[in-house]
Amino acid sequence: MVKKLYKFRFEIFLVTQLAILFGSLFFPSEFFEFTLLPLLYLAGILAGILIISKRKKLTWFFVLLFVVSAFIFGSSMIYRQESQGDLLVRLMIYFVFYIVVSWNVIHQVWKAKLVSRKVILGLMSGYISLGFLAFFLFMAIELTHPGAFQGTLMETQQIEIKSEAILYYAYITLLTIGYGEIIPAIPIAQKAAVLVGLMGQFYLVIVTAVVIEKYIRHSEK
């Protein structure tokens, strides 16, 4: 079963990422935020475990992280609330997970001898993973340093609305667009924003360039 699914690892991972990013367009906001979104994050962890499934020790480590994350999510569903400590633990789990999975996706794309549809999807999911890394980093900074990010979209006390705004800001920063609705207000937030911008540029000019070069070379042959 796992071997069969492994062939579609990038497709499955990309679908979970897109569902997390754009699922709110198709479902009621409250249902999506409190019920569906945590489940999609858990599904994302399972999809990431599939990507690294050939590395047995690492796989079991992330299975353990999945169980811990699922337990925290289950507790929050029962009590209908999640403490800041629980949220920070979940953010840490997701952050570690996406660092490892992003590295493995990039490594597999980099080592691919032929540029197929699978490699292109892996390239896309790798870039989207950087945005999630930025989101988890920014959220952790905002939770530990309230007011680290300011602007019109951050003028609320509801953590769900803040998280949506910071997810938006993470990708805007990764894409180096910068509309200005949210700004990093303290040094640690500013440095994190610079780091995310650099990650996005390095990915595009190095990893993407290598894949394109391979595609052009093999197309000529």
Side-chain angles (χ1 to χ4, degrees), residues 172-186:
I172 291 300
T173 305
L174 182 70
L175 295 166
T176 64
I177 298 175
Y179 291 117
E181 305 99 328
I182 301 175
I183 58 172
I186 62 175

Side-chain angles (χ1 to χ4, degrees), residues 36-218:
L36 190 56
L37 186 60
L39 291 174
L40 288 173
Y41 276 119
L42 293 178
I45 292 181
L46 289 176
I49 290 173
L50 183 63
I51 289 176
I52 61 174
S53 58
K54 289 191 174 182
R55 305 178 65 178
K56 300 301 182 183
K57 292 183 179 180
L58 198 58
T59 299
W60 282 111
F61 172 71
F62 279 109
V63 167
L64 177 61
L65 289 185
F66 172 82
V67 172
V68 173
S69 184
F71 175 77
I72 295 173
F73 167 62
S75 299
S76 65
M77 285 291 292
I78 292 173
Y79 296 105
R80 287 291 175 182
Q81 62 181 356
E82 186 174 36
S83 68
Q84 180 171 318
D86 288 344
L87 183 55
L88 281 173
V89 171
R90 284 180 61 191
L91 286 172
M92 182 179 67
I93 290 172
Y94 295 147
F95 186 73
V96 172
F97 165 76
Y98 269 92
I99 285 179
V100 175
V101 173
S102 299
W103 173 259
N104 277 272
V105 169
I106 293 171
H107 182 264
Q108 291 179 32
V109 168
W110 186 280
K111 292 293 184 180
K113 295 181 179 179
L114 294 175
V115 179
S116 61
R117 177 178 61 89
K118 190 181 303 293
V119 172
I120 298 299
L121 292 176
L123 188 70
M124 293 168 59
S125 64
Y127 191 71
I128 294 175
S129 293
L130 295 182
F132 280 113
L133 277 174
F135 166 60
F136 301 136
L137 177 61
F138 292 159
M139 273 298 296
I141 292 174
E142 176 64 27
L143 287 173
T144 54
H145 300 79
F149 297 94
Q150 298 182 2
T152 56
L153 299 181
M154 298 296 291
E155 295 174 355
T156 178
Q157 297 301 317
Q158 291 183 270
I159 192 63
E160 295 80 15
I161 298 176
K162 275 190 175 182
S163 66
E164 280 289 318
I166 291 178
L167 179 63
Y168 161 79
Y169 175 70
Y171 279 95
I172 291 300
T173 305
L174 182 70
L175 295 166
T176 64
I177 298 175
Y179 291 117
E181 305 99 328
I182 301 175
I183 58 172
I186 62 175
I188 188 173
Q190 293 163 358
K191 291 179 180 178
V194 171
L195 176 62
V196 170
L198 287 175
M199 285 194 311
Q201 291 302 300
F202 288 158
Y203 190 94
L204 292 177
V205 302
I206 298 175
V207 180
T208 305
V210 167
V211 172
I212 292 174
E213 186 273 335
K214 287 181 180 180
Y215 177 78
I216 293 174
R217 177 154 42 89
H218 293 141

Side-chain angles (χ1 to χ4, degrees), residues 13-33:
F13 190 49
L14 182 60
V15 167
T16 61
Q17 291 176 315
L18 294 176
I20 292 171
L21 285 176
F22 304 113
S24 58
L25 298 175
F26 306 100
F27 296 95
S29 58
E30 186 172 345
F31 169 74
F32 181 78
E33 287 291 333

